[in-house]
Every structure is written in C-alpha cells, then in structure tokens.
Amino acid sequence: MVDFIADYCKNLETFPFLSQVEPGYLGKLLPDSAPNHPESLENVLADVQSKIIPGVTHWQSPGYFAYFPSDSSTAGFLGEMLSAGFNIIGFSWVTSPAATELEVIVLDWLAKMLQLPEHLLSSGKGDGVIQGTASEAILVALLAARDKVLKKIAGVHPENCRLVKTNSSTNYALSPDVLREEISKDIAAGLIPFFLSSTVGTTSSTAVDPLSSLGKIAKDNELWFHVDAAYAGSACICPEYRQYLDGVEEADSFNMNTHKWFLTNFDCSPLWVKDRSALIPPLSTKPEYLKNKASEENMVLDFKDWQIPLGRRFRSPKLWMVLRLYGLENLQCYIRNHIKLAKHFEDLVAADSRFEDCGKKLNQDLLNSVNSTGKIFISHTVLSGKYILRFVVGAPLTEENHIISAWKIFQDQTTLLKSN
C-alpha cells in the first residue's frame, strides 16, 4: 500500500486533475454486494487503479486550482499512518494521555507561532481543540455562545428531553408501556413529541430495545424513529443475531459504528435515512462558489448536505477494504469468536462464588487494583444502583489465553483485597 501511494504521488501530474467520469459510473464496475470470501490485496489495488482512480479528483495535482488549498506532505502522510496504526479513540485523557496532551501542546505551539493572545493558551483560562472542519468549529462556538446566553444545549432545553426509565427485569430495554405514558403526558401538557431514539446495544448495559413495538408507537404518534446500533449493530451480520434488528424497517433513520466492532479504523459511523428529502433541507448549503452542473441538475448526491460540516474525509475506502479483504464469512467468524470468548469469561465468573454479589466499595477497589497491574484495562458502569465491572471482549488480537490470564488477575486481586 505504501508503494502504491508512493507511485501515485510520483505520477500525480500525469492524471487529469478533474475526474472525467459520468454520474453512476462506479455502480456499473463494482459488484452489488460484498464478497463472502476474502480477496487478495493485489486484486483490491488493481481495482483502485482501474476503477477508483478514474473517479478521483486529484486535489494534490499541480494543475488543481479550485475551491481552496488542501496541501499534503510526506510528513503529514507519515503522521496519518501513525494515527491509523494507533487508532486511538481519544474521548478522554485516560483513553490515551498522549493524544490529549500532544494536542494541547501542539495547539499552544501554533498559537505562539501566530502570536495569538495569551488568554487563548492552555496556561490561562483558554485552550485549543482540533475539530473535524471549520464548519464544526463554528457550530461548537455557536452552541457555546447560545448556551451561555440562553442556557440551552444544541437548541433543545434539557427540560424538553425525556429520559424514559428502563427496568432491570427487561435487561434495561426501553419499555413500550412507559413510553406511551410519557408521550401521553407531554401531549396533555400541550407539548409536541417529535423524535424517539432507541438503541441496539447500549454501551453501559448492552441493552436492546424492542424496535417493533417502539416503531409502532412512534408511527401512531408521528414521531421520527431513530435506531442507534452503534455498539451491537455489527453482530447483526450473523443470521443468529439479526433478530435484534427486527422492527428496524419502521425506523426513519439507523446508524451503527463500524469503528467499534467491525475492524474499521476510527472514524466511520454509517447513517441511513428512510427519506433523504427530510434530511437535506435543514443541512443544505448552496453558496455560489459550490454550484456545478451535476448538482444543479440533481444528477448526484452532495453529502455536504447530509452533515453538519461542509468538508468531509474520504472514509469509505477503509470500510471497502475491510469488506473485501475479510469477506462476509470471516467477519461473521470474527464476531462469533468474540461472543464465544465473552461467554467463556461469563462461565469463569459464574464458577467463582465471590463474584455473585459484591458491594460498591469492593468493586471500585477491585477495578483500581486490576487496572493497577498494568496487564489489563477494564471500566465500570452503574445499573440499578449497583457498581458493575465491565469486561468487554472485542480487540482484534484477543484469544482464549488472554481471557484466562485476565480472569487469573481478577481472582488474584480479589484474594488480595479480601486478605486486607
């Protein structure tokens, strides 16, 4: 791949800087479904050369003078490789301290190069953060300003959001009866319920909501019904787990994170909508400098109108290569193996009576003790007032010996805590 990209960059000036293909060209060249069996990288790269590159507008070409500069460099390319290799999801400092601290340091460096006011540096009350695009940066600043004046979050007041209570007896899934009651209360109060978000595999409890029942309620009350399968959606490529998406046909929109449990580097969160015409108007931007024949004649899709930012990364090759280089059968085996390993760990826990009922303090101490070994890392949640330790099986290289070793650490640290 490195050689392929190096050759592409070397020959960049030989390509027509503007793609010459017609709308819909690629659908005629590629299969209409992903392969069941893995393909060779050579075959994939051959298709990139013959089918993808003709549809690429070469922003790095010396003959490209449109829109705005989008410079790359060998240094930038190497940094992107390093970032892809680490594949860090840096939503908090603990998830990768270097990711947070390097961003702070680098933005301080850049601020000093620009001779920005000191109050924008991390040493004062200010600080910097890297957004995806300028559009996102403006929106974040706008929301901060709006919240400061109106005390609202993203234009929706917290008092107008309903967190519908779940029940431990239904594995913390959303109750249709409770939902109906909440909707009735809002309507009686003169409010207009308009959006229902359900989940297939919440991070905290992996709960799966009853989509069919919720979809019917949403339809009866003219609510937009969204299904968030960020976590567990990947498992539904296996026929035996597809049942968890029963009712998704009622959804107005559906999303999953292929960067969570589908071997695709962050970030890649596909979103599907039932009616694109409802999505585009509130997000569409049509400045004069972006107008072109294909867009004006509605011959193509412009994904700038499907998102908050204007600019967007070319994310699809990551998922495309995962699908081709693994194939459906191998991806199914990958998911099934993780579930098998998780079940094995569950059996190990069930065989040790000390883990049937632990108090909050002991579980907190055990979490800290286990993590302090430096050999494994776990996290926690709170369900029905109970402090729960979460053991998530899903890393690409995890095998049975890692499960057994992890369990030994749990046992040893529990014994150590009990003795103290």
Side-chain angles (χ1 to χ4, degrees):
M1 179 62 79
V2 172
D3 288 341
F4 184 92
I5 294 174
D7 289 341
Y8 164 76
C9 293
K10 181 180 179 180
N11 299 314
L12 193 55
E13 197 167 355
T14 66
F15 296 109
F17 55 87
L18 184 64
S19 174
Q20 304 299 305
V21 301
E22 296 294 326
Y25 91 100
L26 195 56
K28 301 173 183 177
L29 301 177
L30 295 179
D32 60 5
S33 60
N36 285 326
H37 306 290
E39 300 182 44
S40 68
L41 179 59
E42 289 74 18
N43 284 349
V44 177
L45 290 181
D47 276 354
V48 173
Q49 184 70 51
S50 64
K51 301 170 184 176
I52 302 300
I53 286 184
V56 170
T57 295
H58 305 279
W59 282 63
Q60 303 306 309
S61 170
Y64 187 89
F65 301 107
Y67 301 115
F68 44 79
S70 181
D71 303 352
S72 66
S73 66
T74 301
F77 170 63
L78 296 176
E80 179 73 11
M81 288 176 61
L82 195 61
S83 176
F86 288 143
N87 197 35
I88 289 166
I89 319 298
F91 50 77
S92 63
W93 179 89
V94 72
T95 59
S96 278
T100 297
E101 296 193 10
L102 183 61
E103 186 163 329
V104 171
I105 292 169
V106 168
L107 290 183
D108 273 353
W109 286 359
L110 182 57
K112 291 175 182 177
M113 292 173 67
L114 296 169
Q115 299 184 32
L116 297 180
E118 288 193 7
H119 63 254
L120 295 180
L121 302 180
S122 62
S123 56
K125 290 185 177 181
D127 211 336
V129 62
I130 299 174
Q131 299 286 342
T133 70
S135 311
E136 287 178 275
I138 293 170
L139 178 62
V140 169
L142 173 64
L143 296 180
R146 183 169 186 165
D147 184 56
K148 184 177 180 180
V149 176
L150 302 177
K151 300 302 179 184
K152 293 185 179 181
I153 301 176
V156 179
H157 198 284
E159 291 180 1
N160 290 333
C161 293
R162 296 289 178 268
L163 300 179
V164 183
K165 190 173 182 179
T166 60
N167 194 306
S168 59
S169 63
T170 58
N171 294 321
Y172 300 99
L174 188 60
S175 167
D177 291 337
V178 176
L179 175 62
R180 286 193 191 93
E181 184 179 346
E182 289 292 328
I183 291 175
S184 297
K185 288 180 181 177
D186 282 345
I187 293 176
L191 300 174
I192 304 175
F194 68 93
F195 182 86
L196 170 63
S197 182
S198 62
T199 57
V200 177
T202 63
T203 300
S204 188
S205 65
T206 65
V208 176
D209 290 333
L211 304 186
S212 294
S213 299
L214 299 181
K216 185 178 185 306
I217 295 173
K219 186 175 182 180
D220 290 344
N221 292 276
E222 299 183 342
L223 276 66
W224 180 291
F225 182 39
H226 179 73
V227 176
D228 175 12
Y231 192 170
S234 298
C236 296
I237 65 168
C238 301
E240 64 270 33
Y241 302 116
R242 178 56 178 75
Q243 59 182 303
Y244 296 123
L245 289 184
D246 288 350
V248 72
E249 62 274 4
E250 301 293 336
D252 294 285
S253 54
F254 169 79
N255 78 277
M256 63 176 287
N257 285 350
T258 54
H259 59 246
K260 267 200 171 76
W261 196 16
F262 208 73
L263 292 165
T264 307
N265 283 48
F266 184 82
D267 55 349
C268 191
S269 180
L271 168 69
W272 292 265
V273 293
K274 180 182 288 187
D275 180 8
R276 75 179 67 166
S277 66
L279 182 69
I280 296 175
L283 296 171
S284 179
T285 54
K286 295 184 178 180
E288 187 63 34
Y289 65 87
L290 290 181
K291 291 181 179 179
N292 61 86
K293 185 175 185 292
S295 296
E296 293 299 301
E297 295 182 1
N298 295 317
M299 300 167 61
V300 295
L301 298 177
D302 288 330
F303 282 130
K304 69 177 178 61
D305 299 328
W306 294 48
Q307 59 178 18
I308 293 173
L310 175 64
R312 62 195 326 271
R313 297 190 66 185
F314 188 20
R315 297 181 179 94
S316 57
K318 295 184 289 188
L319 183 56
W320 185 54
M321 288 206 166
V322 166
L323 292 174
R324 292 190 63 179
L325 297 180
Y326 281 86
L328 175 59
E329 289 186 358
N330 278 348
L331 289 168
Q332 290 172 333
C333 289
Y334 178 75
I335 295 289
R336 287 168 178 149
N337 181 58
H338 280 158
I339 294 174
K340 177 183 176 182
L341 292 176
K343 182 64 171 65
H344 181 44
F345 187 81
E346 180 187 17
D347 293 340
L348 292 173
V349 174
D352 191 327
S353 61
R354 296 177 300 175
F355 289 85
E356 289 181 356
D357 185 16
C358 292
K360 177 180 179 181
K361 178 64 167 63
L362 183 55
N363 269 356
Q364 285 179 319
D365 291 343
L366 181 56
L367 179 138
N368 293 330
S369 182
V370 166
N371 286 342
S372 69
T373 65
K375 297 178 180 178
I376 66 173
F377 179 53
I378 64 170
S379 56
H380 79 283
T381 188
V382 175
L383 298 171
S384 298
K386 294 182 179 179
Y387 191 97
I388 308 293
L389 302 186
R390 299 178 68 256
F391 186 84
V392 181
V393 179
L397 301 179
T398 300
E399 298 177 350
E400 186 176 7
N401 64 293
H402 299 106
I403 300 296
I404 296 172
S405 296
W407 176 239
K408 182 67 164 53
I409 293 172
F410 272 93
Q411 289 184 308
D412 291 346
Q413 296 305 311
T414 299
T415 299
L416 184 63
L417 288 173
K418 288 284 190 178
S419 65
N420 293 333

